Amino acid sequence: MAAPDEPPPPPDWLELPRDIATTILLKLGAVEILTTAELVCTDWRALCLDSTMWQTIDMRNDGDLPDDDLADMCCRAVDRSDGGCLDLNIEYFGDDELLQYAADWCNHIRRLRLVDCGNISDEGLCEAASKLPMLEVLELSYCSFSKEAIETVGQCCPLLKSFKLNSQGYRYSHIDCDDEAQAIAKNMHGLRHLQLFGNKMTNEGLKAILDSCPHLEYLDLRQCFNVYMGGDLGRRCTEQIKDLRNPYDPTDDYEFDAAILDDESFDDDYPSGFSDIDLSDYDNYYEFSDYDDFSVYGFEEDQ
């Protein structure tokens, strides 16, 4: 009886064609490339130094490295892009200095995502926005920026088509605010995609957005509990918006923790009914998730 064929040997990762190796490396985040992948061999090191590898810079703090080290690596990634970075993601770390460095050296950025970047101020965001006139996609999730900062971003970035401004949902009584909605309505007329998860706006803020953003196709109002979708407003949203997420729609596909703060939990923490801090300034922990696939917004990656 003939011996069974020997199984094929495992692939030699070091001898992969350049295009395949590049595709594999691009699936890694910037931290993995800078700390691991580029140390594998001289060929991979050469690939990792190629500026085209850094059109997308995905920097996330998973708790393993100090913020200063992450900021250092982010600056190295910006340097390697040679001004060609189009897509910048910073999660759970970062400050004004880092954002300014990126904006100074990569002023053709089209997509910027900031998640829980508590050390980036209004002034830092506004200064960066003034240097990013090509920006088309912006996400500010679980950050603390004022309506004035949002207004400035809209004025400085006239090509903006997608905006995410996400917060933790809550059902506190008598706490509503249309400032952010009005800032969007007055300064972001070209939006096609808008996500306002957990926003405090009311029906008046929503009406302002509908009146001023005629190209809007996607609107996510989940956990915007001060918005009431009955009657004429609900019908208008259904007719005007192709893809609408209502305040009480499921949150299964939402990438962060969708836990809701309510009156009961608020009263337990603050029996007097008032907090000694601004209610918008609270620290939370959120699950890490894959970076957005921006193709859903109609934008194609540069090759």
Side-chain angles (χ1 to χ4, degrees):
M1 182 175 180
D5 294 337
E6 291 291 329
D12 187 342
W13 296 103
L14 304 184
E15 295 184 3
L16 288 173
R18 181 184 178 89
D19 58 338
I20 296 178
T22 299
T23 300
I24 293 172
L25 291 173
L26 286 173
K27 294 183 179 296
L28 303 176
V31 174
E32 289 81 4
I33 292 174
L34 292 168
T35 59
T36 305
E38 68 173 26
L39 304 178
V40 171
C41 65
T42 55
D43 287 344
W44 280 28
R45 167 73 174 173
L47 282 176
C48 293
L49 291 173
D50 189 332
S51 62
T52 60
M53 282 284 298
W54 301 98
Q55 289 185 353
T56 295
I57 298 175
D58 183 5
M59 294 290 307
R60 308 165 187 236
N61 182 358
D62 61 6
D64 293 336
L65 295 170
D67 286 4
D68 288 346
D69 289 354
L70 290 165
D72 225 20
M73 282 190 280
C74 190
C75 290
R76 285 166 56 197
V78 167
D79 292 342
R80 289 189 184 186
S81 77
D82 195 23
C85 176
L86 302 174
D87 188 341
L88 177 61
N89 176 43
I90 300 175
E91 298 186 25
Y92 304 94
F93 79 103
D95 55 20
D96 290 351
E97 184 178 358
L98 175 61
L99 188 58
Q100 296 318 311
Y101 190 86
D104 284 338
W105 288 99
C106 301
N107 56 14
H108 293 289
I109 289 174
R110 292 170 53 198
R111 305 178 182 95
L112 175 63
R113 169 174 155 113
L114 304 176
V115 176
D116 201 0
C117 298
N119 290 325
I120 296 179
S121 67
D122 279 359
E123 294 75 13
L125 178 65
C126 292
E127 186 174 347
S130 70
K131 300 171 183 176
L132 301 175
M134 306 300 291
L135 195 66
E136 298 180 21
V137 178
L138 175 63
E139 176 174 349
L140 306 174
S141 288
Y142 304 97
C143 299
S144 298
F145 296 116
S146 68
K147 68 171 182 177
E148 290 80 13
I150 295 170
E151 289 172 347
T152 299
V153 168
Q155 294 160 9
C156 293
C157 306
L159 301 182
L160 201 63
K161 295 180 176 65
S162 175
F163 184 43
K164 290 185 178 184
L165 185 67
N166 297 324
S167 307
Q168 184 169 15
Y170 53 86
R171 294 194 184 99
Y172 297 148
S173 298
H174 310 302
I175 298 178
D176 53 56
C177 180
D178 286 320
D179 287 352
E180 294 165 342
Q182 294 289 351
I184 292 167
K186 292 176 181 178
N187 299 280
M188 299 183 181
H189 306 299
L191 287 181
R192 300 179 185 278
H193 182 286
L194 178 61
Q195 184 176 63
L196 294 172
F197 194 101
N199 197 269
K200 296 181 290 185
M201 71 175 177
T202 68
N203 284 20
E204 291 305 311
L206 176 55
K207 289 176 185 176
I209 290 172
L210 294 174
D211 289 341
S212 302
C213 301
H215 306 294
L216 204 58
E217 299 175 355
Y218 175 92
L219 179 59
D220 189 346
L221 300 173
R222 284 177 294 177
Q223 296 195 6
C224 295
F225 295 123
N226 293 323
V227 170
Y228 302 95
M229 298 295 286
D232 292 340
L233 181 60
R235 283 191 294 273
R236 181 180 176 187
C237 286
T238 301
E239 293 170 359
Q240 185 171 335
I241 307 300
K242 293 180 181 178
D243 192 351
L244 176 67
R245 309 299 294 272
N246 288 294
Y248 290 90
D249 279 357
T251 59
D252 298 3
D253 61 345
Y254 185 61
E255 60 182 303
F256 300 109
D257 182 359
I260 301 170
L261 297 177
D262 56 26
D263 279 325
E264 184 176 349
S265 61
F266 179 72
D267 291 340
D268 288 343
D269 290 336
Y270 303 104
S272 65
F274 295 92
S275 164
D276 59 352
I277 60 172
D278 186 286
L279 290 173
S280 63
D281 297 329
Y282 41 75
D283 293 329
N284 297 288
Y285 296 93
Y286 305 98
E287 296 178 0
F288 294 96
S289 60
D290 291 338
Y291 193 17
D292 276 356
D293 176 5
F294 286 101
S295 64
V296 301
Y297 307 145
F299 304 112
E300 296 297 332
E301 296 288 350
D302 289 7
Q303 300 300 320

